[in-house]
Amino acid sequence: MEAPVQIAASLNPHASAAPLMETPMVEIDRLSLWYGAKQALRDVSMSVPKHRVTAYIGPSGCGKSTLLRCLNRMNDLVDGVRTTGTIRIGGSDIGDPGRDVTELRKRVGMVFQKSNPFPKSIYENIAYGPRILGVKHRADLDGIVERSLRSAALWEEVQDRLGDSALGLSGGQQQRLCIGRAIAVEPDVLLMDEPCSALDPIATAKIEELMLELKNSYTIVIVTHNMQQAARVSDYTGFMLLGELVEFGVTRALFTNPRDKRTEDYITGRFG
Amino acid sequence: MAINTGALRGGRPEAPARPLAASRSRTARRILLDRWAARLVVLGGVLIIASILAILVVIVGEVWPLFRPAAAERLSASLVGGPPAPGDAVGVDEYREIAYTITSDSLQFTPLRVGGRYPAIPVPGLEGARITAVGESARGRHLLGTSDGRVVELDVKFQVEFKDGKRVLTPQQEFGAPVALDPERKRAIVRLAGVVTGSGPIVVAQVGPRDLVMQTVVEKKALIGAPRREASLQALPLEVEGEITAFRLDGRGDDLILGTSHGQLVRYDLRDKTNPRPADRSAVSTAALTLVQFLNGDRTVVVGDGAGAVSTWQLLPSPGGGAPRLTRIHEFERHGAPVVAASPSRRDKGFVTADAAGGLHLNYGTSGATLLRLADSGGLRGATFAPKADGIVTVDEGGRLSHWAVHNPHPEITLATVFAPVWYEGYAQPEYVWQSTGGTDDFEAKFSLTPLVYGTLKGTFYALLFAVPLALLAALYVSEFMHPSVKAYVKPVVEIMAALPSVVLGFLAGLWLAPLVERVVPGLFLLPLVETACILTALLLWRLLPLRLRQWVRPGTEVFLLVPVVIAGAWLAFGLGGLVERALLGGDYRGWLLSALGLTFDQRNSLVVGVAMGFAVIPIIFTIAEDSLANVPQHLRAGSLALGATRWQTALRIVLPTASPGIFSAIMIGFGRAVGETMIVLMATGNTPVMDTNIFSGFRALSANVAVELPEAPEGGSLFRVLFLAAFLLFCLTFAVNTVAELVRLRLRRKYRYL
């Protein structure tokens, strides 16, 4: 495990230093979640600032992925899930049962741990979301595909083989394709669930670079196991343990000067 | 896998390999087990492939004799007393041991298997006249015409005895008293034909180039004493040009077919014996007709001419209606010389034709094929096909007998007769017919497999039409929308349905479903529409319900709410069906079908089979399709849902295409099952081998046909072998379907291999 000094050295130099001045995009208030009888989130409250990268770190099973999946209600698919508390995105409560969940998911895109391109062509992968939204004209779709692939830094590599199967791309390219697919529907928030855990360092570097690029237009929430990654790309970091948000704050502050003993133990490698 | 211990030991000396001694025995055992397990698996696979190939070999072995070409060899040639008399002057017994010829004054028996000959038997009562014409009226019954205008009947029989397990044949002959057909006894009889009908014998004799006389004998049974015979003699009017060169009476005595030197074929209608008249005439050839002969059954006429052409003709209704006319059916391979004799087989529609130059052709009347060409000695005068159609005896002008053995057990079967339309006797045009028995020996069995293949495909089509949408939609619902706890019950229950014996399904379909369906056909056709409307209405109402009420139902279990809706829909559909039948179909849908659409309604029809066989196929398609849908990686669904797609969009646009290889396999395996299904089609179709697309008529499938007919097929016979051919077809059909399914599946799987 790394020493805190090393982490501090790799800190994101662009990270903002004044948390209280940010506009909140996502506000989580006293969120608890149970899988059946097992409680996975305990009374989590926090807010995610707009156009920033927010990272959740913590050991396996601490609930950071669960928290992420609450933001686009992907947990609804799991049987026996029960939640209390509220989540507001852009000011509106997403937990409202009358609310159309598909509408929410169009506003909150997601990139998964394992790249999951559809078994279709590269073009069709990107066009899938817009088609769902009702975009029909080929010219409109062409524009969206190019723009999304450029945003995902993939255009140069695939522009002359858009009709090829997306399954033929490399792992890193597939993951960037998934990012492109997510931003093709122009969401407000982009959730990333350990997006680089299956990638080699070069592909990881590209994605991290991309995240810094994307945060100008999107609010990014990322879950990562890799503390260096969190330190490199995020402006804010939350440390979770056993379903509890132990500490949340500006990344530099959290890594260099953790307030909580448990945070310090974790980032100095005493457990995890 | 063997571990090379030497290589392990040969590592760097400072880092010796871990000592293997402790685990060596265990490793050896593991290697041994591994090796044997691999061998066992290979053995199992090889055995399966070998047994399938063995089945194929057995089937092909049974089918192959059908298509083996005919063969013949000349066994012997022997000289008999003298030249044969003109006409049907040669015959043979059914074991081909003794042949006989009729010469100008005697009957001569000749043994065919041993040397020597019997003494000639002079024809009694000739009074110095010669025999100038011979006609055969039935097997072994000959009419001998003399140079002084009289006719003598001759009956040749062979008495068979078994002495010490050996067959002994004794030829017997019986001559009748001569009867004068030319009262003045001046004119010689040139040609002669006779037949014994139910009302009495008829004899027609040619006594001059254009002169025919007919003698009819009417036997009247008196209450007391011997039956009275009233013979009448009359001359037949000849209304064509040229001379009479050949004629023959049919077995019923209704028609006299006559050939002229100008190549015309004339039919006399003899049904009114007091007024025989020419009914129709056809131009056959430019050469003189040298031969007229009936095939077995007396429906088909073989006509041969002086140029060597052979054709068959049948009396068929005229195309525009009206009196039946002789119609040309087949043209056979030409002889190189004038055709002099033709002899029909007594058991099928085969016949032998002989030409003056010694050419012998073995033809088959139904298929129009010439099966065999043989070269006999020149100057042939007569030929006879042995009673069992396994030999030919010919006689030439020098009185030399030739004996041929013919090996041709399945003359009626060619690829064309099995698959192409065949012009059978009594049919107005070539047709596909399966009729494995003709009722009497006069009518041949008809072995067209085409209606059976058609029936198989028709049943399969209707079964899949019913099963595929239901099974696939059910699989989609169960895998994508149903609550897992409900699915845990539904899936095994449907799978148990697959274990339902098909004989039970067939029984239910034939005896319970068929009469039920018959009552509610209009309702049945309204059912899909009405059900769809009901379900959509129910869904709309559901959406209108307040959210709080809707939340009472667990997601994925809403389907139970639809059960009463579906039942109500069925009730409504059948009620509406009755109304529609009364209001629009005149109260009787069967009458309406016949008058408006021209469709007949059988109780056991394709609709019933489609439903019953659909039930047999649904579990298979459902299970395989559901498995392949459920095996679509969850992260693809998550990816789609996270983009804001609904579950329905996800299922349709992501899950279904990804699972398509499995779904394709499911349909193909269902197809294979439906093709091979036997009991349901056997019990619920009526087994009528007809070819039409009508959903309300039955059919006969290949599999059911084998099941129905095989127990009654004599081993080694044509029917037996044709049934094996049907089995072979079934084998090929399922093999082809499965191969295509596998190829497509592999292709699709390659497409998705990175998932």
Side-chain angles (χ1 to χ4, degrees):
Chain A
M1 275 278 115
E2 327 295 335
V5 189
Q6 286 172 315
I7 292 169
S10 67
L11 274 180
N12 179 3
H14 311 293
S16 314
L20 296 174
M21 304 304 290
E22 303 280 2
T23 330
M25 184 70 203
V26 180
E27 293 160 283
I28 303 171
D29 186 25
R30 304 182 59 99
L31 181 70
S32 294
L33 181 140
W34 291 263
Y35 290 122
K38 184 177 166 285
Q39 189 168 8
L41 292 178
R42 293 167 192 272
D43 225 12
V44 175
S45 297
M46 62 160 294
S47 52
V48 175
K50 194 174 180 177
H51 291 183
R52 296 284 178 267
V53 177
T54 304
Y56 292 121
I57 58 169
S60 294
C62 67
K64 53 192 189 300
S65 280
T66 302
L67 178 58
L68 192 74
R69 294 162 67 89
C70 282
L71 301 185
N72 65 349
R73 286 181 56 186
M74 286 297 271
N75 281 328
D76 287 12
L77 303 176
V78 184
D79 200 32
V81 163
R82 194 160 52 84
T83 54
T84 60
T86 56
I87 301 172
R88 280 194 188 75
I89 293 182
S92 59
D93 185 357
I94 67 163
D96 180 1
R99 197 192 155 106
D100 187 359
V101 71
T102 62
E103 195 60 42
L104 166 72
R105 288 179 188 151
K106 282 165 198 163
R107 293 186 50 204
V108 184
M110 186 165 190
V111 176
F112 295 83
Q113 181 173 2
K114 187 173 180 291
S115 63
N116 57 351
F118 302 135
K120 297 168 184 279
S121 67
I122 294 170
Y123 183 96
E124 285 302 322
N125 262 278
I126 303 290
Y128 181 77
R131 279 191 206 276
I132 294 281
L133 289 173
V135 180
K136 285 202 177 68
H137 293 292
R138 187 77 191 184
D140 296 347
L141 285 172
D142 287 349
I144 292 173
V145 168
E146 179 171 351
R147 197 167 61 245
S148 305
L149 283 173
R150 280 192 195 283
S151 303
L154 198 59
W155 177 253
E156 303 299 328
E157 291 161 61
V158 301
Q159 57 174 330
D160 43 4
R161 50 176 175 134
L162 291 176
D164 290 7
S165 171
L167 301 174
L169 296 174
S170 74
Q173 286 173 325
Q174 286 191 4
Q175 195 61 296
R176 274 180 284 150
L177 180 73
C178 292
I179 295 173
R181 187 175 71 188
I183 60 184
V185 294
E186 295 181 350
D188 298 328
V189 182
L190 197 55
L191 308 177
M192 295 186 165
D193 191 354
E194 301 185 34
C196 305
S197 63
L199 301 182
D200 61 77
I202 295 171
T204 304
K206 278 193 175 160
I207 300 233
E208 288 176 1
E209 208 177 303
L210 182 59
M211 276 191 264
L212 296 177
E213 194 81 20
L214 289 173
K215 76 170 181 179
N216 297 321
S217 330
Y218 308 99
T219 305
I220 297 177
V221 184
I222 175 172
V223 161
T224 178
H225 260 108
N226 184 338
M227 280 182 284
Q228 284 173 314
Q229 185 173 53
R232 279 196 300 269
V233 300
S234 70
D235 304 300
Y236 295 89
T237 300
F239 170 62
M240 294 191 69
L241 188 63
L242 298 172
E244 220 176 298
L245 185 64
V246 174
E247 189 171 341
F248 179 70
V250 176
T251 301
R252 181 186 291 268
L254 188 124
F255 276 106
T256 52
N257 188 18
R259 290 192 298 269
D260 197 292
K261 175 83 172 69
R262 289 170 294 178
T263 314
E264 190 178 348
D265 286 350
Y266 182 70
I267 62 178
T268 53
R270 267 174 230 159
F271 70 92
Chain B
M1 195 177 64
I3 293 171
N4 188 347
T5 49
L8 285 175
R9 282 203 204 90
R12 283 177 297 160
E14 64 271 24
R18 187 164 58 89
L20 285 168
S23 61
R24 186 170 288 160
S25 69
R26 215 168 53 187
T27 309
R29 214 176 118 233
R30 223 163 49 190
I31 291 167
L32 199 72
L33 274 177
D34 206 37
R35 205 172 280 162
W36 276 104
R39 279 176 191 166
L40 202 67
V41 169
V42 170
L43 183 75
V46 168
L47 271 180
I48 287 173
I49 293 170
S51 53
I52 289 175
L53 284 179
I55 292 171
L56 197 61
V57 165
V58 168
I59 293 177
V60 169
E62 290 291 348
V63 170
W64 162 236
L66 281 179
F67 301 109
R68 208 157 46 191
E73 53 172 334
R74 175 136 63 169
L75 294 182
S76 64
S78 37
L79 207 61
V80 295
D88 310 323
V90 58
V92 66
D93 79 292
E94 67 174 310
Y95 302 106
R96 291 185 288 119
E97 288 189 7
I98 302 171
Y100 61 91
T101 45
I102 297 157
T103 63
S104 63
D105 58 358
S106 60
L107 169 67
Q108 175 69 56
F109 287 102
T110 310
L112 293 173
R113 313 267 171 138
V114 290
R117 80 166 92 136
Y118 293 86
I121 300 156
V123 176
L126 279 185
E127 299 166 6
R130 284 171 299 109
I131 294 170
T132 49
V134 180
E136 194 171 15
S137 59
R139 191 158 85 83
R141 291 173 66 92
H142 295 262
L143 294 168
L144 317 180
T146 65
S147 56
D148 57 358
R150 291 179 300 160
V151 170
V152 181
E153 266 189 48
L154 166 63
D155 209 348
V156 179
K157 282 183 182 148
F158 295 90
Q159 198 184 345
V160 186
E161 284 171 301
F162 288 89
K163 283 179 185 156
D164 308 327
K166 262 189 74 181
R167 190 170 59 219
V168 177
L169 250 68
T170 318
Q172 291 175 333
Q173 72 288 335
E174 197 183 317
F175 290 98
V179 178
L181 287 195
D182 182 28
E184 290 110 52
R185 292 182 59 178
K186 276 185 190 155
R187 294 182 288 181
I189 291 176
V190 185
R191 286 180 188 86
L192 197 55
V195 69
V196 181
T197 69
S199 56
I202 302 173
V203 177
V204 176
Q206 182 186 358
V207 290
R210 289 173 57 84
D211 301 312
L212 282 181
V213 290
M214 178 171 81
Q215 187 202 41
T216 49
V217 178
V218 180
E219 288 172 341
K220 288 185 172 158
K221 289 202 176 76
L223 277 176
I224 338 161
R228 223 151 32 93
R229 284 169 62 99
E230 278 180 17
S232 64
L233 199 64
Q234 56 185 310
L236 291 180
L238 189 68
E239 293 172 7
V240 287
E241 290 176 3
E243 297 178 6
I244 299 162
T245 48
F247 61 88
R248 188 74 63 169
L249 275 166
D250 81 333
R252 297 167 298 276
D254 288 346
D255 291 312
L256 172 71
I257 311 286
L258 185 145
T260 70
S261 57
H262 284 50
Q264 282 209 315
L265 195 64
V266 185
R267 179 174 69 91
Y268 276 78
D269 190 341
L270 302 185
R271 277 174 297 182
D272 181 1
K273 298 286 185 291
T274 59
N275 180 25
R277 55 194 175 79
D280 74 73
R281 54 177 70 91
S282 326
V284 172
S285 157
T286 50
L289 301 186
T290 52
L291 181 99
V292 173
Q293 176 65 281
F294 277 96
L295 289 190
N296 189 31
D298 293 310
R299 301 272 171 194
T300 302
V301 184
V302 178
V303 179
D305 70 15
V310 177
S311 53
T312 50
W313 295 70
Q314 279 177 30
L315 205 53
L316 293 180
S318 307
R325 285 183 59 86
L326 279 172
T327 310
R328 188 194 303 260
I329 306 296
H330 291 299
E331 196 74 54
F332 291 84
E333 220 174 279
R334 289 181 80 92
H335 282 272
V339 183
V340 292
S343 177
S345 158
R346 307 282 175 190
R347 40 174 56 200
D348 50 43
K349 304 296 175 189
F351 60 98
V352 173
T353 49
D355 65 46
L360 275 178
H361 283 186
L362 182 59
N363 302 305
Y364 200 77
T366 312
S367 57
T370 298
L371 306 171
L372 202 58
R373 286 151 290 272
L374 304 169
D376 206 324
S377 52
L380 282 185
R381 292 284 289 275
T384 187
F385 210 174
K388 284 182 172 172
D390 56 355
I392 302 168
V393 174
T394 62
V395 60
D396 68 10
E397 58 198 0
R400 223 163 65 104
L401 273 182
S402 295
H403 175 205
W404 295 80
V406 174
H407 185 75
N408 187 24
H410 309 289
E412 72 273 43
I413 307 291
T414 62
L415 274 181
T417 58
V418 175
F419 295 109
V422 175
W423 202 337
Y424 291 107
E425 282 186 341
Y427 284 69
Q429 69 271 334
E431 276 179 42
Y432 301 102
V433 186
W434 174 273
Q435 191 181 19
S436 58
T437 166
T440 73
D441 288 345
D442 287 352
F443 292 96
E444 62 183 322
K446 302 169 182 70
F447 298 123
S448 181
L449 289 179
T450 313
L452 308 179
V453 173
Y454 185 91
T456 292
L457 295 179
K458 182 181 177 186
T460 306
F461 172 76
Y462 283 120
L464 292 186
L465 197 66
F466 175 72
V468 166
L470 274 183
L472 290 190
L473 289 174
L476 194 62
Y477 179 79
V478 167
S479 79
E480 298 303 305
F481 301 101
M482 190 174 259
H483 197 273
S485 61
V486 184
K487 178 182 165 181
Y489 289 100
V490 169
K491 188 127 192 274
V493 166
V494 176
E495 278 163 7
I496 285 170
M497 259 174 70
L500 200 63
S502 63
V503 65
V504 175
L505 276 175
F507 178 75
L508 285 175
L511 296 180
W512 172 74
L513 187 63
L516 199 68
V517 163
E518 192 182 11
R519 284 208 301 270
V520 296
V521 163
L524 213 58
F525 277 80
L526 287 176
L527 191 65
L529 294 175
V530 175
E531 287 288 11
T532 312
C534 281
I535 291 172
L536 288 180
T537 314
L539 291 182
L540 206 65
L541 290 175
W542 174 252
R543 293 295 288 258
L544 291 177
L545 278 183
L547 193 64
R548 195 155 318 142
L549 269 173
R550 278 194 272 161
Q551 276 177 329
W552 281 95
V553 180
R554 258 165 96 194
T557 58
E558 306 92 337
V559 67
F560 293 111
L561 291 177
L562 275 179
V563 171
V565 174
V566 169
I567 292 173
W571 180 78
L572 194 65
F574 292 129
L576 269 179
L579 280 179
V580 165
E581 187 178 356
R582 271 193 295 281
L584 299 177
L585 310 182
D588 174 24
Y589 71 89
R590 268 171 295 189
W592 180 81
L593 280 177
L594 194 61
S595 61
L597 303 176
L599 300 178
T600 52
F601 186 93
D602 300 334
Q603 193 194 54
R604 296 187 182 181
N605 54 42
S606 310
L607 181 67
V608 174
V609 176
V611 172
M613 200 141 81
F615 268 104
V617 174
I618 280 174
I620 297 170
I621 299 181
F622 169 83
T623 304
I624 301 173
E626 204 280 331
D627 282 343
S628 64
L629 287 168
N631 283 339
V632 170
Q634 199 59 39
H635 60 78
L636 288 186
R637 281 192 196 88
S640 171
L641 292 172
L643 283 170
T646 61
R647 292 171 74 179
W648 179 239
Q649 286 169 325
T650 304
L652 232 49
R653 298 193 190 188
I654 300 296
V655 178
L656 209 57
T658 310
S660 54
I663 288 173
F664 183 80
S665 296
I667 294 173
M668 277 306 181
I669 290 171
F671 183 91
R673 166 85 206 268
V675 164
E677 174 55 53
T678 307
M679 287 319 290
I680 295 174
V681 286
L682 183 71
M683 298 173 85
T685 59
N687 287 316
T688 43
V690 291
M691 283 176 80
D692 58 22
T693 49
N694 181 4
I695 191 172
F696 300 114
S697 71
F699 58 86
R700 183 186 281 212
L702 280 172
S703 54
N705 187 56
V706 173
V708 169
E709 307 252 354
L710 200 54
E712 303 190 359
E715 195 189 337
S718 291
L719 174 59
F720 183 81
R721 297 197 192 285
V722 168
L723 291 177
F724 269 87
L725 181 63
F728 180 69
L729 272 187
L730 264 182
F731 191 100
C732 291
L733 204 59
T734 42
F735 186 81
V737 167
N738 285 345
T739 307
V740 168
E742 191 60 20
L743 289 178
V744 171
R745 200 175 64 83
L746 287 178
R747 241 185 76 110
L748 289 171
R749 179 179 270 184
R750 253 204 313 280
K751 191 172 156 196
Y752 297 119
R753 69 187 180 278
Y754 295 110
L755 290 180

